[in-house]
Amino acid sequence: MSAAHTNGGRFTNWMADTMQSLSIRYALGLALIVLWQYAATRAGSIFFPTPVEILGRTRELWLSGPPSRLFLGTGVFQDVFPSLFRLLAGWALAVMIGVPLGMAIGRSRTVSDLANPTLQFLRAIPGPALIPVFIILLGTETTMRVTLIAFGSVWPILLNTIEGTRTVDPVQLETARAYRLPRHAQLWRIVLPSAMPKIFAGVRVSLSLAVILMVVSELVASTNGIGYRIQNAQIMFLLTDMWCGIVLLALLGYALNWLFLKVEYHVLRWHRGARGQTARS
Amino acid sequence: MLSVDDLHHVYAAGQVVTQSVSFDVHAGEIVSIVGPSGCGKTTLLKALAGLLAPTAGVIRFQGEVIRGVPEGFAMVFQEYGRSLLPWNTVHDNVELPLRYRPLSAAERGERVKHSLAAVGLSGLGERYPWQLSGGMQQRVAIARAIACQPKLLLMDEPFASVDAQTRADLEDLVATVRDQFQITIVVVTHDIDEAVYLSDRIVVLSKSPSTVLDIVATGLPRPRDQITTKALPQFVEKRSAIAHLIRRPVIAAASDGACTSE
């Protein structure tokens, strides 16, 4: 009986704690939305629609589809999915290029000396400045946009991977040698996991860069995508639609980051544990 | 089994670490290498392990000159916390070297289980190293070594970072492991008590640039016991003899700050 009582108490406590942390976390956001609603209503400007109007329009634009399509409107298929595809493809490409290249540079003096000046030079070029070049070389289709996103978002991944693979604990590498692990196993089982915390930090920064570049790429010579929709709405003076696109981008960025943190939490479980232990002892 | 012949090691800066070190290790022996701190014990052990090419001299393992880490070697490092991989569980840490040997998954699993049992860590395979105490982590490192079924086990100051009681337990574990698996063991230590208690023979090194001062056979009966063995007159006598050997040059070198890092 006492156990049940304690459990009940614990559950109530947990509920209370959760409610409290939730209310602290979202109180400011909610207050700002209320303030926005109030200010926009009072101003009555067509440039600044109220959040309620934006929400309503969002439903019409993207959530008015048939149940068979999970209520997703045609706008989702026309603009949101293509945007998401470009974003994820470009970002994935950046990871697939940045991590192996970073490992090669981080572990090999020769590759580092060879590649470094070129990379520093390329890194200095703002991605959007290359849009005209990419359009000439790659056309105006998805390939161009994915390339731009990959080019612009590869840098944090590359630099963090270099840094992470350079700072592998020498004792771990010596252990690998003492146990005659083949070279590929040293890279795969020691260098890569040991660099993982830094790689994840880089990949996370590159995710927000990828969102920015996705929008930028869609502002130029495009026929669909969230960026295109925002620009098009502005040209057609559909200002509520424009705001809808912006809010959608914010939500998308938030959701992607949240998902990313969930993945990171699982992959780097060992890192938190090991670090916590060292901090305590 | 292992023979070290006129070994010299000089660091790039011209600093001489070892100068003409020669000794043999016979199959089934436990041999300790002791010497004052900074005498190049760790350098010597790394050369024995094939991790470091000596400047001059030859190390042979079963008649073959060592170039690179030979098959049949295993090593236990002082820094257990850094030598075990924190992203792998205890089981995966022990299994890692086996993955690159011609063994089936079932054989690997069997060996991991057997090794963990031998060091008294059955059932802890799913834990992570950082969830264990220092002594238990070093047991994992020993399990990883014996899972490879080595002929020669090299240990570099293996118990320098654990508390006294754990240290005593681990010393006894080393003797058990030797008997159970018929492994030849070379231990580097700065602790003379430990060297005498563990070993059949002790290689005593001088301060850097180090040479072999003496090779002392302990002649203590086995099985040994932390209390009774250490109370034997023979134990006390060997311990003081070695302490005298080591201490004299250290006092002479008190003003000489040149030491190698260990």
Side-chain angles (χ1 to χ4, degrees):
Chain A
M1 188 200 91
S2 75
H5 178 76
T6 326
N7 276 342
R10 220 177 272 160
F11 181 73
T12 322
N13 280 344
W14 177 81
M15 282 293 286
D17 286 353
T18 311
M19 293 305 285
Q20 196 184 2
S21 81
L22 276 182
S23 60
I24 286 175
R25 229 182 274 177
Y26 296 110
L28 181 65
L30 273 172
L32 285 175
I33 291 171
V34 170
L35 193 71
W36 179 11
Q37 176 73 30
Y38 172 74
T41 312
R42 265 198 74 136
S45 159
I46 52 159
F47 298 111
F48 296 104
T50 65
V52 172
E53 283 172 296
I54 294 171
L55 205 69
R57 187 65 186 134
T58 299
R59 264 193 58 180
E60 283 171 36
L61 281 175
W62 292 307
L63 296 172
S64 55
S68 62
R69 284 178 159 189
L70 296 165
F71 301 102
L72 298 175
T74 40
V76 173
F77 294 92
Q78 251 169 30
D79 298 311
V80 181
F81 284 172
S83 280
L84 263 178
F85 171 75
R86 288 166 195 152
L87 167 72
L88 295 177
W91 185 48
L93 202 60
V95 173
M96 285 188 294
I97 293 169
V99 173
L101 189 61
M103 283 178 77
I105 295 173
R107 293 312 305 169
S108 157
R109 192 62 208 239
T110 320
V111 179
S112 170
D113 288 348
L114 197 70
N116 225 349
T118 316
L119 288 176
Q120 295 301 337
F121 179 76
L122 286 176
R123 190 163 79 92
I125 305 173
L130 289 174
I131 293 179
V133 182
F134 286 160
I135 288 179
I136 291 175
L137 295 177
L138 304 166
T140 56
E141 292 310 309
T142 304
T143 316
M144 180 278 276
R145 297 176 215 286
V146 170
T147 309
L148 176 77
I149 294 168
F151 176 85
S153 63
V154 77
W155 306 108
I157 303 175
L158 185 66
L159 296 179
N160 275 36
T161 308
I162 294 172
E163 170 68 14
T165 47
R166 259 190 199 148
T167 51
V168 178
D169 190 329
V171 176
Q172 287 171 355
L173 291 173
E174 203 155 55
T175 306
R177 284 177 58 214
Y179 283 97
R180 295 161 52 95
L181 295 198
R183 184 118 182 91
H184 68 88
Q186 294 186 21
L187 284 178
W188 184 246
R189 302 231 170 234
I190 295 186
V191 174
L192 185 64
S194 138
M196 214 42 118
K198 288 220 169 82
I199 293 176
F200 259 84
V203 171
R204 190 172 163 205
V205 173
S206 94
L207 178 59
S208 36
L209 278 178
V211 175
I212 295 170
L213 287 158
M214 171 198 86
V215 176
V216 170
S217 82
E218 288 171 352
L219 295 178
V220 183
S222 61
T223 51
N224 64 0
I226 304 172
Y228 166 78
R229 199 48 65 192
I230 292 172
Q231 197 188 31
N232 196 248
Q234 181 251 324
I235 290 166
M236 315 237 313
F237 219 69
L238 299 166
L239 297 180
T240 310
D241 288 24
M242 180 185 80
W243 282 105
C244 287
I246 292 167
V247 170
L248 179 66
L249 281 174
L251 289 175
L252 202 66
Y254 187 87
L256 285 171
N257 192 54
W258 181 83
L259 262 176
F260 184 81
L261 287 179
K262 286 278 156 200
V263 173
E264 188 187 58
Y265 183 87
H266 281 281
V267 175
L268 295 185
R269 194 177 275 275
W270 66 266
H271 182 59
R272 272 192 321 284
R275 214 176 35 181
Q277 211 68 2
T278 331
R280 243 175 288 157
S281 61
Chain B
M1 168 167 224
L2 186 76
S3 77
V4 181
D5 190 14
D6 199 18
L7 196 78
H8 289 66
H9 194 81
V10 182
Y11 276 131
Q15 192 185 14
V16 180
V17 189
T18 61
Q19 194 173 43
S20 187
V21 168
S22 305
F23 61 91
D24 292 322
V25 177
H26 310 303
E29 266 190 319
I30 299 182
V31 172
S32 291
I33 300 170
V34 298
S37 97
C39 74
K41 299 186 290 282
T42 295
T43 308
L44 176 59
L45 195 76
K46 281 183 181 164
L48 294 185
L51 290 168
L52 197 79
T55 316
V58 181
I59 303 167
R60 287 193 180 80
F61 173 60
Q62 298 182 324
E64 299 271 324
V65 175
I66 288 180
R67 290 189 194 84
V69 183
E71 223 172 297
F73 273 35
M75 187 144 176
V76 171
F77 293 81
Q78 177 183 350
E79 305 97 332
Y80 47 80
R82 291 163 61 198
S83 168
L84 297 173
L85 306 176
W87 48 86
N88 282 352
T89 58
V90 165
H91 176 280
D92 292 352
N93 264 292
V94 176
E95 190 189 26
L96 182 60
L98 305 179
R99 286 174 171 271
Y100 303 98
R101 290 165 200 227
L103 294 167
S104 71
E107 285 172 309
R108 291 203 305 262
E110 197 50 45
R111 279 210 203 177
V112 173
K113 211 175 127 190
H114 191 56
S115 318
L116 284 176
V119 300
L121 291 181
S122 290
L124 293 181
E126 295 316 306
R127 299 274 194 97
Y128 283 88
W130 38 267
Q131 294 174 319
L132 306 178
S133 69
M136 284 160 103
Q137 289 183 37
Q138 197 57 304
R139 282 171 191 266
V140 176
I142 294 171
R144 177 172 65 185
I146 59 184
C148 296
Q149 300 185 347
K151 296 194 177 81
L152 184 71
L153 172 60
L154 301 164
M155 305 179 99
D156 180 16
E157 298 270 8
F159 315 130
S161 323
V162 296
D163 62 80
Q165 181 56 47
T166 308
R167 183 177 190 136
D169 293 344
L170 289 171
E171 286 166 4
D172 291 333
L173 176 66
V174 169
T176 316
V177 160
R178 193 271 300 261
D179 297 343
Q180 196 178 344
F181 298 91
Q182 275 102 47
I183 305 172
T184 309
I185 300 176
V186 176
V187 186
V188 156
T189 177
H190 63 263
D191 184 327
I192 298 166
D193 269 46
E194 179 168 282
V196 177
Y197 180 72
L198 274 178
S199 317
D200 300 304
R201 288 188 307 140
I202 300 162
V203 178
V204 186
L205 297 181
S206 70
K207 72 168 184 76
S208 177
S210 51
T211 51
V212 177
L213 288 176
D214 198 3
I215 297 174
V216 180
T218 59
L220 294 168
R222 289 189 186 270
R224 294 178 187 175
D225 177 89
Q226 289 285 350
I227 297 161
T228 55
T229 302
K230 287 183 176 178
L232 291 174
Q234 206 177 348
F235 179 92
V236 179
E237 180 198 313
K238 295 288 177 193
R239 190 183 59 182
S240 356
I242 294 167
H244 276 297
L245 273 174
I246 291 175
R247 192 162 302 156
R248 216 173 304 131
V250 169
I251 292 165
S255 59
D256 177 11
C259 274
T260 59
S261 63
E262 257 192 287

